[in-house]
Short mmCIF file of all heavy atoms in Angstrom, two decimals:
data_model
loop_
_atom_site.label_atom_id
_atom_site.label_comp_id
_atom_site.label_asym_id
_atom_site.label_seq_id
_atom_site.Cartn_x
_atom_site.Cartn_y
_atom_site.Cartn_z
N MET A 1 68.84 201.28 -21.10
CA MET A 1 69.96 201.21 -22.05
C MET A 1 70.77 202.50 -21.98
O MET A 1 70.23 203.58 -21.90
CB MET A 1 69.41 201.01 -23.46
CG MET A 1 70.45 200.54 -24.46
SD MET A 1 70.92 198.82 -24.26
CE MET A 1 69.65 197.99 -25.23
N SER A 2 72.07 202.33 -21.99
CA SER A 2 72.98 203.47 -21.97
C SER A 2 74.00 203.24 -23.09
O SER A 2 73.96 202.22 -23.75
CB SER A 2 73.66 203.55 -20.61
OG SER A 2 74.56 204.61 -20.58
N GLN A 3 74.89 204.18 -23.25
CA GLN A 3 75.92 204.01 -24.28
C GLN A 3 77.28 204.26 -23.70
O GLN A 3 77.43 204.99 -22.72
CB GLN A 3 75.68 204.97 -25.45
CG GLN A 3 74.44 204.62 -26.26
CD GLN A 3 74.38 205.41 -27.54
OE1 GLN A 3 74.43 206.63 -27.51
NE2 GLN A 3 74.27 204.72 -28.66
N GLU A 4 78.29 203.63 -24.29
CA GLU A 4 79.65 203.85 -23.82
C GLU A 4 80.64 203.82 -24.97
O GLU A 4 80.41 203.20 -26.00
CB GLU A 4 80.04 202.80 -22.77
CG GLU A 4 80.20 201.42 -23.35
CD GLU A 4 80.71 200.39 -22.35
OE1 GLU A 4 80.63 200.67 -21.14
OE2 GLU A 4 81.20 199.34 -22.79
N LEU A 5 81.74 204.51 -24.73
CA LEU A 5 82.86 204.51 -25.67
C LEU A 5 83.64 203.22 -25.51
O LEU A 5 83.83 202.75 -24.39
CB LEU A 5 83.82 205.63 -25.31
CG LEU A 5 83.66 207.03 -25.87
CD1 LEU A 5 84.72 207.91 -25.22
CD2 LEU A 5 83.78 207.05 -27.36
N TYR A 6 84.12 202.66 -26.59
CA TYR A 6 85.11 201.59 -26.45
C TYR A 6 86.04 201.59 -27.66
O TYR A 6 85.72 202.17 -28.70
CB TYR A 6 84.44 200.23 -26.24
CG TYR A 6 83.96 199.55 -27.50
CD1 TYR A 6 84.66 198.47 -28.03
CD2 TYR A 6 82.81 199.97 -28.14
CE1 TYR A 6 84.21 197.82 -29.17
CE2 TYR A 6 82.36 199.33 -29.27
CZ TYR A 6 83.06 198.26 -29.79
OH TYR A 6 82.63 197.63 -30.93
N ILE A 7 87.18 200.98 -27.48
CA ILE A 7 88.16 200.86 -28.56
C ILE A 7 88.10 199.42 -29.06
O ILE A 7 88.20 198.48 -28.28
CB ILE A 7 89.59 201.12 -28.05
CG1 ILE A 7 89.70 202.47 -27.31
CG2 ILE A 7 90.61 201.02 -29.19
CD1 ILE A 7 89.78 203.67 -28.16
N ASP A 8 87.93 199.27 -30.36
CA ASP A 8 87.95 197.93 -30.95
C ASP A 8 89.42 197.49 -31.07
O ASP A 8 90.17 198.03 -31.89
CB ASP A 8 87.29 197.98 -32.33
CG ASP A 8 87.21 196.60 -32.98
OD1 ASP A 8 87.94 195.69 -32.55
OD2 ASP A 8 86.42 196.47 -33.93
N PRO A 9 89.84 196.51 -30.25
CA PRO A 9 91.26 196.13 -30.26
C PRO A 9 91.70 195.49 -31.57
O PRO A 9 92.90 195.46 -31.87
CB PRO A 9 91.36 195.13 -29.09
CG PRO A 9 89.98 194.63 -28.88
CD PRO A 9 89.03 195.71 -29.32
N LYS A 10 90.76 194.99 -32.34
CA LYS A 10 91.13 194.40 -33.63
C LYS A 10 91.47 195.48 -34.66
O LYS A 10 92.15 195.21 -35.64
CB LYS A 10 89.99 193.52 -34.15
CG LYS A 10 89.78 192.27 -33.29
CD LYS A 10 88.97 191.21 -34.00
CE LYS A 10 87.51 191.47 -34.07
NZ LYS A 10 86.70 191.39 -32.91
N ARG A 11 90.96 196.68 -34.43
CA ARG A 11 91.20 197.76 -35.38
C ARG A 11 92.33 198.71 -34.96
O ARG A 11 93.04 199.26 -35.79
CB ARG A 11 89.93 198.58 -35.57
CG ARG A 11 88.90 197.88 -36.43
CD ARG A 11 87.70 198.78 -36.63
NE ARG A 11 86.79 198.25 -37.62
CZ ARG A 11 86.80 198.61 -38.90
NH1 ARG A 11 87.64 199.50 -39.33
NH2 ARG A 11 85.95 198.09 -39.75
N CYS A 12 92.46 198.94 -33.66
CA CYS A 12 93.42 199.94 -33.18
C CYS A 12 94.85 199.57 -33.60
O CYS A 12 95.30 198.46 -33.37
CB CYS A 12 93.35 200.04 -31.65
SG CYS A 12 94.55 201.21 -30.98
N GLN A 13 95.52 200.54 -34.21
CA GLN A 13 96.89 200.33 -34.66
C GLN A 13 97.89 201.13 -33.83
O GLN A 13 99.09 201.11 -34.11
CB GLN A 13 97.03 200.71 -36.14
CG GLN A 13 96.19 199.86 -37.07
CD GLN A 13 96.65 198.41 -37.07
OE1 GLN A 13 97.83 198.12 -37.14
NE2 GLN A 13 95.70 197.48 -36.98
N GLY A 14 97.40 201.85 -32.85
CA GLY A 14 98.30 202.52 -31.92
C GLY A 14 98.93 203.81 -32.42
O GLY A 14 100.07 204.11 -32.09
N HIS A 15 98.21 204.59 -33.18
CA HIS A 15 98.75 205.88 -33.63
C HIS A 15 98.78 206.91 -32.51
O HIS A 15 99.45 207.92 -32.63
CB HIS A 15 97.89 206.48 -34.74
CG HIS A 15 97.56 205.54 -35.83
ND1 HIS A 15 98.44 205.24 -36.84
CD2 HIS A 15 96.44 204.80 -36.07
CE1 HIS A 15 97.87 204.36 -37.65
NE2 HIS A 15 96.65 204.08 -37.20
N ALA A 16 97.96 206.68 -31.48
CA ALA A 16 97.83 207.62 -30.34
C ALA A 16 97.19 208.95 -30.73
O ALA A 16 97.27 209.91 -29.99
CB ALA A 16 99.17 207.86 -29.65
N ARG A 17 96.58 208.99 -31.87
CA ARG A 17 95.92 210.23 -32.29
C ARG A 17 94.77 210.57 -31.33
O ARG A 17 94.56 211.73 -31.00
CB ARG A 17 95.42 210.09 -33.72
CG ARG A 17 95.19 211.41 -34.40
CD ARG A 17 94.80 211.24 -35.82
NE ARG A 17 95.90 210.83 -36.67
CZ ARG A 17 95.80 210.73 -37.99
NH1 ARG A 17 94.66 210.98 -38.59
NH2 ARG A 17 96.83 210.37 -38.70
N CYS A 18 94.06 209.54 -30.91
CA CYS A 18 92.94 209.76 -29.97
C CYS A 18 93.44 210.38 -28.68
O CYS A 18 92.83 211.31 -28.14
CB CYS A 18 92.24 208.44 -29.68
SG CYS A 18 93.37 207.14 -29.14
N TRP A 19 94.54 209.87 -28.18
CA TRP A 19 95.12 210.37 -26.93
C TRP A 19 95.59 211.81 -27.09
O TRP A 19 95.41 212.63 -26.19
CB TRP A 19 96.27 209.46 -26.51
CG TRP A 19 97.05 209.97 -25.36
CD1 TRP A 19 96.67 209.96 -24.05
CD2 TRP A 19 98.33 210.60 -25.42
NE1 TRP A 19 97.66 210.53 -23.27
CE2 TRP A 19 98.68 210.93 -24.09
CE3 TRP A 19 99.21 210.89 -26.45
CZ2 TRP A 19 99.88 211.56 -23.78
CZ3 TRP A 19 100.41 211.51 -26.14
CH2 TRP A 19 100.73 211.84 -24.83
N SER A 20 96.16 212.15 -28.25
CA SER A 20 96.64 213.52 -28.43
C SER A 20 95.47 214.49 -28.55
O SER A 20 95.59 215.66 -28.19
CB SER A 20 97.59 213.63 -29.63
OG SER A 20 96.91 213.38 -30.83
N ILE A 21 94.33 214.02 -29.04
CA ILE A 21 93.15 214.88 -29.17
C ILE A 21 92.38 214.98 -27.86
O ILE A 21 91.93 216.05 -27.47
CB ILE A 21 92.22 214.34 -30.29
CG1 ILE A 21 92.89 214.50 -31.65
CG2 ILE A 21 90.86 215.05 -30.27
CD1 ILE A 21 92.19 213.79 -32.78
N ALA A 22 92.23 213.86 -27.16
CA ALA A 22 91.40 213.83 -25.95
C ALA A 22 92.10 213.02 -24.84
O ALA A 22 91.64 211.93 -24.48
CB ALA A 22 90.03 213.23 -26.28
N PRO A 23 93.19 213.56 -24.29
CA PRO A 23 93.93 212.81 -23.26
C PRO A 23 93.13 212.62 -21.97
O PRO A 23 93.49 211.77 -21.16
CB PRO A 23 95.18 213.68 -23.03
CG PRO A 23 94.78 215.05 -23.47
CD PRO A 23 93.80 214.85 -24.60
N GLU A 24 92.06 213.40 -21.82
CA GLU A 24 91.23 213.22 -20.62
C GLU A 24 90.31 212.00 -20.74
O GLU A 24 89.71 211.58 -19.77
CB GLU A 24 90.40 214.50 -20.37
CG GLU A 24 89.28 214.78 -21.38
CD GLU A 24 89.76 215.41 -22.69
OE1 GLU A 24 90.98 215.43 -22.96
OE2 GLU A 24 88.90 215.87 -23.46
N THR A 25 90.25 211.45 -21.94
CA THR A 25 89.33 210.33 -22.18
C THR A 25 90.05 209.05 -22.59
O THR A 25 89.61 207.96 -22.24
CB THR A 25 88.31 210.71 -23.27
OG1 THR A 25 87.59 211.86 -22.82
CG2 THR A 25 87.31 209.59 -23.55
N PHE A 26 91.16 209.18 -23.30
CA PHE A 26 91.87 208.00 -23.79
C PHE A 26 93.25 207.87 -23.18
O PHE A 26 93.91 208.87 -22.90
CB PHE A 26 92.02 208.06 -25.33
CG PHE A 26 90.69 208.15 -26.03
CD1 PHE A 26 90.23 209.37 -26.49
CD2 PHE A 26 89.90 207.03 -26.21
CE1 PHE A 26 88.99 209.47 -27.12
CE2 PHE A 26 88.67 207.11 -26.83
CZ PHE A 26 88.21 208.33 -27.29
N GLY A 27 93.66 206.64 -22.97
CA GLY A 27 95.01 206.36 -22.51
C GLY A 27 95.69 205.45 -23.52
O GLY A 27 95.04 204.91 -24.43
N ILE A 28 97.01 205.29 -23.37
CA ILE A 28 97.77 204.39 -24.24
C ILE A 28 98.46 203.36 -23.35
O ILE A 28 99.15 203.74 -22.39
CB ILE A 28 98.83 205.19 -25.05
CG1 ILE A 28 98.17 206.26 -25.94
CG2 ILE A 28 99.69 204.25 -25.90
CD1 ILE A 28 97.27 205.74 -27.04
N ASP A 29 98.25 202.09 -23.65
CA ASP A 29 98.84 201.07 -22.77
C ASP A 29 100.32 200.87 -23.10
O ASP A 29 100.88 201.51 -23.99
CB ASP A 29 98.03 199.77 -22.84
CG ASP A 29 98.13 199.06 -24.18
OD1 ASP A 29 99.07 199.32 -24.95
OD2 ASP A 29 97.26 198.20 -24.45
N GLU A 30 100.95 199.95 -22.35
CA GLU A 30 102.41 199.78 -22.50
C GLU A 30 102.80 199.23 -23.87
O GLU A 30 103.96 199.36 -24.27
CB GLU A 30 102.97 198.92 -21.36
CG GLU A 30 102.42 197.53 -21.25
CD GLU A 30 101.10 197.46 -20.47
OE1 GLU A 30 100.53 198.50 -20.09
OE2 GLU A 30 100.63 196.34 -20.26
N GLU A 31 101.84 198.68 -24.58
CA GLU A 31 102.14 198.20 -25.93
C GLU A 31 101.79 199.22 -27.00
O GLU A 31 101.93 198.97 -28.19
CB GLU A 31 101.39 196.89 -26.19
CG GLU A 31 101.95 195.77 -25.33
CD GLU A 31 101.18 194.48 -25.50
OE1 GLU A 31 100.17 194.45 -26.21
OE2 GLU A 31 101.61 193.50 -24.89
N GLY A 32 101.31 200.38 -26.57
CA GLY A 32 101.05 201.47 -27.51
C GLY A 32 99.63 201.53 -28.04
O GLY A 32 99.34 202.33 -28.92
N PHE A 33 98.76 200.68 -27.51
CA PHE A 33 97.38 200.68 -27.99
C PHE A 33 96.49 201.50 -27.06
O PHE A 33 96.77 201.64 -25.86
CB PHE A 33 96.86 199.25 -28.12
CG PHE A 33 97.61 198.46 -29.15
CD1 PHE A 33 98.53 197.49 -28.76
CD2 PHE A 33 97.42 198.71 -30.50
CE1 PHE A 33 99.25 196.78 -29.72
CE2 PHE A 33 98.13 198.01 -31.46
CZ PHE A 33 99.05 197.04 -31.07
N ALA A 34 95.43 202.01 -27.64
CA ALA A 34 94.55 202.92 -26.89
C ALA A 34 93.54 202.17 -26.04
O ALA A 34 93.15 201.04 -26.35
CB ALA A 34 93.82 203.83 -27.88
N TYR A 35 93.10 202.81 -24.97
CA TYR A 35 91.99 202.33 -24.17
C TYR A 35 91.23 203.53 -23.63
O TYR A 35 91.76 204.65 -23.59
CB TYR A 35 92.46 201.40 -23.04
CG TYR A 35 93.36 202.06 -22.03
CD1 TYR A 35 92.84 202.59 -20.84
CD2 TYR A 35 94.73 202.17 -22.25
CE1 TYR A 35 93.66 203.21 -19.91
CE2 TYR A 35 95.56 202.79 -21.32
CZ TYR A 35 95.02 203.30 -20.15
OH TYR A 35 95.84 203.91 -19.24
N VAL A 36 90.00 203.29 -23.25
CA VAL A 36 89.19 204.35 -22.66
C VAL A 36 89.52 204.39 -21.17
O VAL A 36 89.50 203.35 -20.49
CB VAL A 36 87.69 204.07 -22.87
CG1 VAL A 36 86.85 205.16 -22.22
CG2 VAL A 36 87.38 204.00 -24.38
N LEU A 37 89.84 205.56 -20.67
CA LEU A 37 90.21 205.68 -19.26
C LEU A 37 89.03 205.29 -18.38
O LEU A 37 87.87 205.58 -18.71
CB LEU A 37 90.62 207.13 -18.96
CG LEU A 37 91.93 207.60 -19.60
CD1 LEU A 37 92.12 209.10 -19.34
CD2 LEU A 37 93.12 206.84 -19.05
N PRO A 38 89.31 204.62 -17.25
CA PRO A 38 88.23 204.20 -16.36
C PRO A 38 87.37 205.39 -15.94
O PRO A 38 87.89 206.45 -15.58
CB PRO A 38 88.99 203.63 -15.15
CG PRO A 38 90.32 203.24 -15.69
CD PRO A 38 90.63 204.22 -16.79
N GLY A 39 86.07 205.21 -16.04
CA GLY A 39 85.15 206.27 -15.66
C GLY A 39 84.81 207.24 -16.78
O GLY A 39 83.97 208.11 -16.64
N ARG A 40 85.49 207.06 -17.95
CA ARG A 40 85.26 207.98 -19.07
C ARG A 40 84.46 207.31 -20.20
O ARG A 40 84.34 207.87 -21.28
CB ARG A 40 86.60 208.48 -19.61
CG ARG A 40 87.37 209.32 -18.61
CD ARG A 40 86.67 210.63 -18.33
NE ARG A 40 86.71 211.48 -19.51
CZ ARG A 40 85.95 212.55 -19.69
NH1 ARG A 40 85.05 212.89 -18.78
NH2 ARG A 40 86.04 213.29 -20.77
N GLU A 41 83.91 206.16 -19.91
CA GLU A 41 83.17 205.44 -20.96
C GLU A 41 81.95 206.22 -21.44
O GLU A 41 81.50 206.07 -22.57
CB GLU A 41 82.72 204.07 -20.44
CG GLU A 41 83.86 203.12 -20.10
CD GLU A 41 84.42 203.31 -18.70
OE1 GLU A 41 84.00 204.24 -17.99
OE2 GLU A 41 85.30 202.52 -18.32
N GLY A 42 81.42 207.06 -20.56
CA GLY A 42 80.22 207.81 -20.92
C GLY A 42 80.49 209.15 -21.58
O GLY A 42 79.57 209.93 -21.81
N ALA A 43 81.75 209.40 -21.94
CA ALA A 43 82.12 210.72 -22.48
C ALA A 43 81.98 210.80 -23.99
O ALA A 43 82.48 211.74 -24.61
CB ALA A 43 83.57 211.05 -22.07
N TYR A 44 81.27 209.84 -24.58
CA TYR A 44 81.19 209.78 -26.05
C TYR A 44 80.58 211.02 -26.68
O TYR A 44 80.85 211.32 -27.83
CB TYR A 44 80.37 208.55 -26.49
CG TYR A 44 79.00 208.50 -25.87
CD1 TYR A 44 77.95 209.18 -26.45
CD2 TYR A 44 78.78 207.80 -24.70
CE1 TYR A 44 76.70 209.16 -25.87
CE2 TYR A 44 77.54 207.77 -24.11
CZ TYR A 44 76.50 208.46 -24.69
OH TYR A 44 75.27 208.46 -24.10
N ASP A 45 79.75 211.75 -25.93
CA ASP A 45 79.10 212.91 -26.54
C ASP A 45 79.90 214.21 -26.32
O ASP A 45 79.48 215.26 -26.77
CB ASP A 45 77.68 213.07 -26.01
CG ASP A 45 77.63 213.22 -24.50
OD1 ASP A 45 78.66 212.97 -23.85
OD2 ASP A 45 76.57 213.59 -23.99
N GLU A 46 81.05 214.10 -25.69
CA GLU A 46 81.87 215.31 -25.53
C GLU A 46 82.56 215.65 -26.85
O GLU A 46 82.88 214.77 -27.63
CB GLU A 46 82.91 215.09 -24.42
CG GLU A 46 82.26 215.00 -23.05
CD GLU A 46 83.27 214.86 -21.93
OE1 GLU A 46 84.47 215.08 -22.14
OE2 GLU A 46 82.82 214.52 -20.81
N GLU A 47 82.79 216.94 -27.04
CA GLU A 47 83.33 217.41 -28.31
C GLU A 47 84.68 216.75 -28.64
O GLU A 47 84.92 216.32 -29.77
CB GLU A 47 83.47 218.93 -28.25
CG GLU A 47 83.71 219.56 -29.60
CD GLU A 47 83.78 221.07 -29.50
OE1 GLU A 47 83.14 221.64 -28.62
OE2 GLU A 47 84.49 221.65 -30.33
N SER A 48 85.55 216.66 -27.63
CA SER A 48 86.89 216.10 -27.90
C SER A 48 86.80 214.61 -28.24
O SER A 48 87.54 214.12 -29.10
CB SER A 48 87.82 216.32 -26.70
OG SER A 48 87.29 215.71 -25.54
N ALA A 49 85.89 213.89 -27.59
CA ALA A 49 85.74 212.47 -27.90
C ALA A 49 85.20 212.29 -29.31
O ALA A 49 85.65 211.42 -30.06
CB ALA A 49 84.82 211.80 -26.89
N GLN A 50 84.24 213.13 -29.67
CA GLN A 50 83.69 213.07 -31.04
C GLN A 50 84.78 213.37 -32.06
O GLN A 50 84.85 212.74 -33.12
CB GLN A 50 82.54 214.06 -31.18
CG GLN A 50 81.27 213.61 -30.47
CD GLN A 50 80.64 212.39 -31.12
OE1 GLN A 50 80.65 212.24 -32.34
NE2 GLN A 50 80.13 211.49 -30.31
N LYS A 51 85.64 214.32 -31.73
CA LYS A 51 86.74 214.68 -32.65
C LYS A 51 87.70 213.49 -32.79
O LYS A 51 88.18 213.18 -33.88
CB LYS A 51 87.47 215.91 -32.11
CG LYS A 51 88.41 216.54 -33.09
CD LYS A 51 88.96 217.84 -32.53
CE LYS A 51 90.07 218.34 -33.43
NZ LYS A 51 90.90 219.36 -32.78
N ALA A 52 87.98 212.83 -31.67
CA ALA A 52 88.87 211.66 -31.71
C ALA A 52 88.26 210.56 -32.56
O ALA A 52 88.95 209.91 -33.35
CB ALA A 52 89.14 211.17 -30.29
N ILE A 53 86.95 210.32 -32.39
CA ILE A 53 86.27 209.30 -33.19
C ILE A 53 86.44 209.61 -34.68
O ILE A 53 86.79 208.74 -35.48
CB ILE A 53 84.77 209.23 -32.82
CG1 ILE A 53 84.60 208.64 -31.42
CG2 ILE A 53 83.99 208.41 -33.85
CD1 ILE A 53 83.20 208.76 -30.85
N LYS A 54 86.23 210.86 -35.04
CA LYS A 54 86.31 211.24 -36.46
C LYS A 54 87.74 211.15 -36.99
O LYS A 54 87.96 210.91 -38.17
CB LYS A 54 85.79 212.66 -36.65
CG LYS A 54 84.30 212.77 -36.48
CD LYS A 54 83.81 214.11 -37.01
CE LYS A 54 82.32 214.28 -36.76
NZ LYS A 54 82.05 214.91 -35.46
N ASN A 55 88.73 211.34 -36.10
CA ASN A 55 90.12 211.39 -36.56
C ASN A 55 90.87 210.07 -36.42
O ASN A 55 92.05 210.00 -36.78
CB ASN A 55 90.87 212.49 -35.80
CG ASN A 55 90.54 213.86 -36.38
OD1 ASN A 55 91.11 214.28 -37.37
ND2 ASN A 55 89.58 214.55 -35.78
N CYS A 56 90.23 209.05 -35.89
CA CYS A 56 90.92 207.75 -35.81
C CYS A 56 91.00 207.16 -37.21
O CYS A 56 89.97 206.87 -37.81
CB CYS A 56 90.18 206.79 -34.89
SG CYS A 56 90.90 205.14 -34.94
N PRO A 57 92.21 206.98 -37.74
CA PRO A 57 92.33 206.49 -39.11
C PRO A 57 91.84 205.05 -39.29
O PRO A 57 91.56 204.63 -40.40
CB PRO A 57 93.83 206.60 -39.42
CG PRO A 57 94.50 206.87 -38.14
CD PRO A 57 93.50 207.28 -37.12
N GLU A 58 91.75 204.32 -38.21
CA GLU A 58 91.32 202.92 -38.29
C GLU A 58 89.84 202.74 -37.94
O GLU A 58 89.33 201.62 -37.91
CB GLU A 58 92.16 202.05 -37.34
CG GLU A 58 93.66 202.23 -37.46
CD GLU A 58 94.17 201.87 -38.85
OE1 GLU A 58 93.54 201.04 -39.52
OE2 GLU A 58 95.21 202.43 -39.25
N ARG A 59 89.16 203.83 -37.62
CA ARG A 59 87.76 203.76 -37.16
C ARG A 59 87.61 202.76 -36.01
O ARG A 59 86.69 201.95 -35.97
CB ARG A 59 86.81 203.38 -38.31
CG ARG A 59 86.80 204.40 -39.42
CD ARG A 59 85.85 203.98 -40.51
NE ARG A 59 85.98 204.83 -41.68
CZ ARG A 59 85.35 205.98 -41.85
NH1 ARG A 59 84.54 206.42 -40.92
NH2 ARG A 59 85.54 206.70 -42.93
N ALA A 60 88.55 202.83 -35.09
CA ALA A 60 88.59 201.86 -33.98
C ALA A 60 87.81 202.33 -32.76
O ALA A 60 87.56 201.54 -31.86
CB ALA A 60 90.05 201.60 -33.58
N ILE A 61 87.46 203.63 -32.73
CA ILE A 61 86.75 204.14 -31.56
C ILE A 61 85.26 204.08 -31.85
O ILE A 61 84.79 204.65 -32.83
CB ILE A 61 87.16 205.59 -31.25
CG1 ILE A 61 88.68 205.72 -31.19
CG2 ILE A 61 86.52 206.04 -29.92
CD1 ILE A 61 89.17 207.16 -31.13
N LYS A 62 84.56 203.36 -31.00
CA LYS A 62 83.13 203.14 -31.26
C LYS A 62 82.31 203.49 -30.03
O LYS A 62 82.82 203.60 -28.93
CB LYS A 62 82.92 201.68 -31.63
CG LYS A 62 83.70 201.28 -32.88
CD LYS A 62 83.45 199.84 -33.23
CE LYS A 62 84.27 199.39 -34.42
NZ LYS A 62 83.86 199.96 -35.67
N VAL A 63 81.03 203.66 -30.29
CA VAL A 63 80.07 203.85 -29.20
C VAL A 63 79.11 202.68 -29.26
O VAL A 63 78.58 202.35 -30.32
CB VAL A 63 79.29 205.18 -29.38
CG1 VAL A 63 78.27 205.34 -28.26
CG2 VAL A 63 80.25 206.37 -29.40
N ARG A 64 78.95 201.99 -28.13
CA ARG A 64 78.07 200.82 -28.14
C ARG A 64 77.01 200.96 -27.05
O ARG A 64 77.20 201.66 -26.05
CB ARG A 64 78.87 199.54 -27.94
CG ARG A 64 79.56 199.43 -26.59
CD ARG A 64 80.35 198.15 -26.50
NE ARG A 64 81.21 198.14 -25.32
CZ ARG A 64 82.17 197.26 -25.10
NH1 ARG A 64 82.41 196.32 -25.99
NH2 ARG A 64 82.91 197.32 -24.01
N ASP A 65 75.91 200.25 -27.27
CA ASP A 65 74.84 200.22 -26.28
C ASP A 65 75.22 199.28 -25.15
O ASP A 65 75.77 198.21 -25.39
CB ASP A 65 73.54 199.73 -26.93
CG ASP A 65 73.00 200.71 -27.94
OD1 ASP A 65 73.23 201.92 -27.77
OD2 ASP A 65 72.34 200.27 -28.90
N VAL A 66 74.94 199.68 -23.94
CA VAL A 66 75.15 198.79 -22.80
C VAL A 66 73.87 198.77 -21.96
O VAL A 66 73.19 199.79 -21.84
CB VAL A 66 76.34 199.22 -21.92
CG1 VAL A 66 77.65 198.89 -22.57
CG2 VAL A 66 76.29 200.70 -21.58
N GLU A 67 73.59 197.64 -21.41
CA GLU A 67 72.43 197.54 -20.52
C GLU A 67 72.88 197.93 -19.13
O GLU A 67 73.93 197.51 -18.66
CB GLU A 67 71.88 196.13 -20.55
CG GLU A 67 71.24 195.80 -21.87
CD GLU A 67 70.23 194.69 -21.75
OE1 GLU A 67 69.61 194.56 -20.69
OE2 GLU A 67 70.09 193.96 -22.73
N VAL A 68 72.10 198.76 -18.48
CA VAL A 68 72.44 199.17 -17.13
C VAL A 68 71.46 198.54 -16.13
O VAL A 68 70.35 198.15 -16.48
CB VAL A 68 72.42 200.71 -16.98
CG1 VAL A 68 73.62 201.32 -17.66
CG2 VAL A 68 71.14 201.31 -17.52
N GLY A 69 71.93 198.41 -14.91
CA GLY A 69 71.08 197.92 -13.85
C GLY A 69 70.89 196.42 -13.84
O GLY A 69 69.95 195.91 -13.26
N LYS A 70 71.79 195.70 -14.50
CA LYS A 70 71.68 194.24 -14.51
C LYS A 70 72.65 193.63 -13.55
O LYS A 70 73.71 194.16 -13.33
CB LYS A 70 71.94 193.70 -15.90
CG LYS A 70 70.69 193.70 -16.74
CD LYS A 70 70.86 192.74 -17.90
CE LYS A 70 69.55 192.08 -18.25
NZ LYS A 70 69.70 191.03 -19.22
S1 SF4 B 1 93.65 206.94 -33.05
FE1 SF4 B 1 92.52 205.01 -33.36
S2 SF4 B 1 94.05 203.55 -34.09
FE2 SF4 B 1 95.12 205.28 -33.16
S3 SF4 B 1 95.52 204.70 -31.02
FE3 SF4 B 1 93.58 205.83 -31.09
S4 SF4 B 1 92.00 204.24 -31.33
FE4 SF4 B 1 93.95 203.32 -31.88
#
């Protein structure tokens, strides 16, 4: 079992606060909503990602368990 960052699309309102805090981890799509940059799903324990999680007003940034090796 491993963990990864993800954005809950039902919650994200597109403030881009996550991107302004941690642009190395989050991107903003053409409609203004956030996504986790490819290859950065495992960055949940980095300080900037944790700060983004705490500062998302919609609580849209989550860490979920993923099964590896399947
Ligand atoms: S701060 Fe939260 S609501 Fe705003 S764009 Fe990022 S994930 Fe979406």
Side-chain angles (χ1 to χ4, degrees):
M1 196 74 86
S2 178
Q3 291 191 305
E4 69 174 18
L5 272 175
Y6 82 105
I7 307 281
D8 183 342
K10 292 197 284 289
R11 284 183 171 264
C12 178
Q13 297 295 315
H15 312 280
R17 201 176 286 186
C18 52
W19 172 76
S20 66
I21 292 169
E24 70 281 13
T25 301
F26 301 100
I28 300 296
D29 68 19
E30 60 276 6
E31 292 177 356
F33 296 105
Y35 63 95
V36 179
L37 292 173
R40 296 293 292 164
E41 296 85 355
Y44 55 85
D45 58 348
E46 291 183 13
E47 194 177 330
S48 59
Q50 287 292 323
K51 193 173 171 197
I53 290 169
K54 289 194 184 90
N55 282 278
C56 173
E58 310 299 332
R59 297 180 189 274
I61 310 170
K62 300 180 183 290
V63 178
R64 64 182 170 191
D65 292 331
V66 285
E67 291 203 31
V68 287
K70 274 200 146 188

